[in-house]
Amino acid sequence: MIRSLLFVPGNSPAMLQNADIHRADALILDLEDAVAAKEKDSARALVKRAIMALRFGGLPLIIRVNPPGSPYLEDDLSAMVPLAPNYVMPTKVAGAEDIRKISARIAEIEAAHGMKAGSVGLVPLIESALGVENAFLIASSDSRVQGMLLGAEDLAFDLGAPRSKAGQEILYARGRIVVAARAAGISAYDTPFTDVNDAAGLEADALFARSLGFDGKAAISPRHVEAINQAFSPTEAEIRYAREVMAAIQKGEEAGLGVVSLHGKMVDKPIVERAQRVLAAALQPGLEGEDE
Amino acid sequence: MNKLAGTLREAIIACGLSDGMTVSFHHHLRDGDQALNQVMAEIAGLGIKGLRLEASSLFAAHAPLIEHINHGVVTSIGTGYMAGPLARAVSEGFLAEPVRFRTHGGRPAAMARGTARVDVAFIAAPAADPCGNLSGIKGPAACGSLGYAMTDARYAGKVVALTDHLLPYPLFPASISEEQVDFVVRLPSIGDPQGIVSGTTRMTRDPVALAIARLAAQAIEHSALLKDGFSFQTGAGGASLAVTQFLKPIMRRLNVKGSFGLGGITGYLVEMLAEGYFDTLLDVQCFDLKAVESIRDNPRHQEISAARYASPLAKSAAVDALDAVVLGALEIDTDFNVNVHVDSNGVIAGGSGGHADAAAGAKLALVAAPLFRARLPIIVDKVRCVSTPGDTVDALITQRGIAVNPRRPELEDRLKRAGLPVFPIGKIKEIAEGYTGIPTPIEPKGKVVGEVEYRDGRVIDVIRAIR
């Protein structure tokens, strides 16, 4: 389960070499917006070397590549795919066709390098009005697509809406992306919180995203990772309740009861499934004994 | 009795200062200190030569000392810490005699033993009355505690107080009392407030330092020391200071009420005092404005002398009651010896301060440092200079794991059982060298320019000139 996805600029040796110490569940090695046009080649070379030399603690690696139509995408894919990252993150994805093209190109590279077909997954970045409207089509366009990330900065610009901390301008897009991801059976990741020094704002934003159904959230600062992991982990009360649910179910089965109740409420299938999901999430390493 | 001298020069003459004597200064005004330079200029003007300088610490602001060394006014130095152009000059072999580096606790011990004698102590006092009652909490150069100056006042043959804020007799509360002061001199200014306290000590935003600090706080949590009555000291820089930020929520979660915070005091410890995490603060040195305000306004925030802080000859000292301390390092070796004296080129870049004292006293001495700085690993086979002996260091905390001193198997066991990433120090060294390669050591071969005196008076290492 990926709760936190930490952006790491592909042109920063200092940040790359320490990328895996911040307890993020996944790393997004960025070749796109963090890297100026004249540094694209050197960043690609650096990220390639870093992946070959560093193990990044075994964390899932996501390579954010340049958008379709840019002069960099082909070089990004042909340099990165042979390194067998867990995922490629296509940017400015507007529709299913974007995904199918990238997937086909990745398939060629996989074949040319003797890699298992379909081994490199996709986590598209949805950051335009058209992308949001096509979210389900994108999510279900290709078996490589295993998650979607909302990019709120570009989206707000596309919408012509001022970007705010409260985020009412992206409320619809957030809901739409969660629904589309769920409908397609993939994960949904929320946009990063961009004020690196507002810890309270970050916590509120992450908890709100979780309440909408997101699985996790991207981080542009290592200092945001801990709060995101907390927000997307089950709370102690949730774990306790889930254990009670499972105990009640077991008791009911032993007693041969068809219907079980807990604290005066009927325990039905969604409640059991939710409890199972909470307990699975609670088994994530690092949850025990963490700081507040 | 009015002890006001007409001028600084009159006071110097009245003390009988002459060639070959020793003068002393404290460092509470840190890099904003203007007193030392004014006094030394006056002494040079009187034609006095061959002086020994005993300063509790020397900063970049004291660069004019290079000229006084050049002209033979100052011929030897004892100090706890040295930085800036003077440190560079000393490393280049500019001073004929080696600098005697002591610890903050070793200095009062050396004065008590008589191995460091002071003829005239010049004590910059942010506030004073005409009889020599002195305070650090009032006046434009307020610096809070005068803990290090108390040693000078106690042991020096003559004591000259320097102030830019004269108050009516009897000044209260006095940190240093009139019984120890011979002369009071008014100066237009003793210090630049900008350089004295750093305003607000800013918590580091360096994510690597924060990762180290979080791990250090977890090590403390699982050390078996974090319970009611817990006492704590931390350095003011980088990862060590940031440990307080991670310790606080742990103390809240475990409902631990601490006993005291010790040492150089920052706003973060002041905050923890105000919020009830500690009963009291024992303050030998204020690091920021919040600490100065707190020591002035909060009776639970106590001023202590350098001797009470850390002297090994005191009948008891606060460091000996300390549970945990988090310290920094320029280098640490596989025997856990720590260097805080010289940088990777062998140039003097600091000194022990209270490092060796707190490590010796505390039940748990953690060294928190990044695995590498620039491109150099901090773990080496042998440190360039032993500032703090490895047998007083319990564990090293880096961003990629904890190395516990093999002398502390029970600590290693506890931390491992808590699921913390514990490795042999050699393994962490290998991890670092996997990133950086193994650097060729730079080993200065010049004459001895510094002697590192341990708190018990033994010289445990020397520093050589870089050319």
Side-chain angles (χ1 to χ4, degrees), chain B residues 401-404 411-416 419-424 428:
Chain B
I402 301 173
V404 180
L411 177 66
E412 176 165 355
D413 192 43
R414 278 180 189 286
L415 301 187
K416 274 185 174 166
L420 297 182
V422 178
F423 307 101
I428 298 185

Side-chain angles (χ1 to χ4, degrees), chain A residues 36-284:
Chain A
K38 64 178 180 189
E39 287 184 28
K40 294 291 184 192
D41 289 339
S42 57
R44 215 179 279 124
L46 183 63
V47 168
K48 183 174 174 176
R49 288 280 171 186
I51 291 175
M52 287 161 61
L54 312 177
R55 274 165 293 174
F56 291 110
L59 290 177
L61 297 183
I62 304 166
I63 313 289
R64 180 159 88 159
V65 294
N66 287 284
S70 80
Y72 314 113
L73 178 60
E74 170 52 31
D75 288 345
D76 289 349
L77 291 177
S78 54
M80 294 297 137
V81 171
L83 301 169
N86 304 75
Y87 306 98
V88 163
M89 176 175 283
T91 49
K92 311 255 171 4
V93 176
E97 192 50 29
D98 289 339
I99 295 297
R100 279 195 282 268
K101 276 187 191 157
I102 287 176
S103 179
R105 181 65 190 120
I106 290 176
E108 287 172 17
I109 301 171
E110 283 173 342
H113 286 80
M115 297 163 66
K116 187 167 169 255
S119 57
V120 177
L122 291 173
V123 180
L125 179 58
I126 309 299
E127 47 188 340
S128 65
L130 192 53
V132 172
E133 283 302 305
N134 287 330
F136 176 70
L137 296 176
I138 293 167
S140 54
S141 61
D142 191 289
S143 60
R144 288 186 197 273
V145 179
Q146 292 167 36
M148 280 192 296
L149 173 64
L150 171 65
E153 304 311 308
D154 284 16
L155 175 64
F157 178 75
D158 197 27
L159 296 176
R163 184 78 177 96
S164 70
K165 257 190 195 176
Q168 58 271 43
E169 70 281 1
I170 58 166
L171 182 58
Y172 170 76
R174 277 172 151 171
R176 181 79 186 253
I177 284 196
V178 170
V179 172
R182 288 287 169 266
I186 65 168
S187 299
Y189 303 116
D190 190 36
T191 189
F193 186 72
T194 51
D195 184 344
V196 291
N197 294 318
D198 180 0
L202 166 69
E203 189 187 349
D205 195 53
L207 287 171
F208 180 66
R210 188 194 179 204
S211 76
L212 292 176
F214 279 102
D215 297 281
K217 186 173 175 68
I220 53 162
S221 164
R223 287 185 284 138
H224 283 185
V225 169
E226 200 74 28
I228 290 174
N229 285 348
Q230 286 294 320
F232 287 92
S233 298
T235 63
E236 273 181 39
E238 285 170 332
I239 294 170
R240 209 179 313 123
Y241 178 71
R243 289 206 178 110
E244 286 176 0
V245 168
M246 298 315 291
I249 287 290
Q250 198 185 347
K251 230 173 158 183
E253 278 173 6
E254 283 165 12
L257 295 176
V259 180
V260 180
S261 74
L262 179 65
H263 305 313
K265 278 189 190 164
M266 194 180 81
V267 176
D268 54 11
K269 200 166 164 243
I271 291 182
V272 176
E273 284 175 356
R274 178 179 291 272
Q276 286 168 335
R277 198 189 292 179
V278 165
L279 291 175
L283 288 175
Q284 285 269 105

Side-chain angles (χ1 to χ4, degrees), chain A residues 14 17, chain B residues 344 370-378 436:
Chain A
Q17 72 185 2
Chain B
S344 56
L371 211 49
F372 30 80
R373 288 201 178 85
R375 293 171 56 203
L376 294 173
I378 67 131
T436 61

Side-chain angles (χ1 to χ4, degrees), chain B residues 144-333:
Chain B
S145 176
L146 285 179
Y148 294 117
M150 292 175 183
T151 302
D152 303 48
R154 179 168 170 195
Y155 292 106
K158 298 283 182 189
V159 173
V160 179
L162 314 160
T163 192
D164 52 13
H165 192 65
L166 195 68
L167 294 173
Y169 183 86
L171 171 153
F172 65 95
S175 298
I176 290 171
S177 107
E178 57 186 307
E179 65 196 285
Q180 296 178 318
V181 177
D182 296 278
F183 300 100
V184 177
V185 176
R186 289 171 87 164
L187 295 175
S189 172
I190 60 164
D192 170 12
Q194 295 295 320
I196 296 170
V197 285
S198 45
T200 310
T201 308
R202 278 251 304 261
M203 194 58 82
T204 179
R205 288 175 177 174
D206 171 10
V208 175
L210 291 171
I212 296 165
R214 180 177 54 207
L215 197 52
Q218 288 181 316
I220 292 170
E221 175 183 357
H222 296 289
S223 67
L225 293 167
L226 194 61
K227 51 192 184 214
D228 284 348
F230 173 70
S231 57
F232 180 59
Q233 177 174 350
T234 170
S240 3
L241 175 63
V243 174
T244 50
Q245 175 184 307
F246 293 98
L247 201 56
K248 191 161 114 174
I250 296 175
M251 289 175 76
R252 183 165 60 225
R253 170 158 52 76
L254 301 178
N255 200 17
V256 168
K257 188 165 165 51
S259 154
F260 67 94
L262 175 66
I265 299 294
T266 64
Y268 287 92
L269 280 174
V270 165
E271 207 172 89
M272 289 180 81
L273 173 72
E275 292 169 5
Y277 289 94
F278 290 107
D279 279 335
T280 182
L281 298 180
L282 303 179
D283 186 342
V284 68
Q285 158 97 70
C286 295
F287 278 134
D288 57 27
L289 284 173
K290 270 192 181 164
V292 175
E293 284 165 17
S294 168
I295 202 170
R296 185 186 67 208
D297 300 333
N298 187 345
R300 290 180 175 278
H301 185 155
Q302 308 179 53
E303 180 181 35
I304 60 168
S305 70
R308 184 180 169 196
Y309 167 44
S311 171
L313 288 192
K315 292 181 180 175
S316 73
V319 288
D320 299 322
L322 189 60
D323 284 330
V325 64
V326 184
L327 300 162
L330 294 170
E331 281 177 332
I332 183 167
D333 66 27

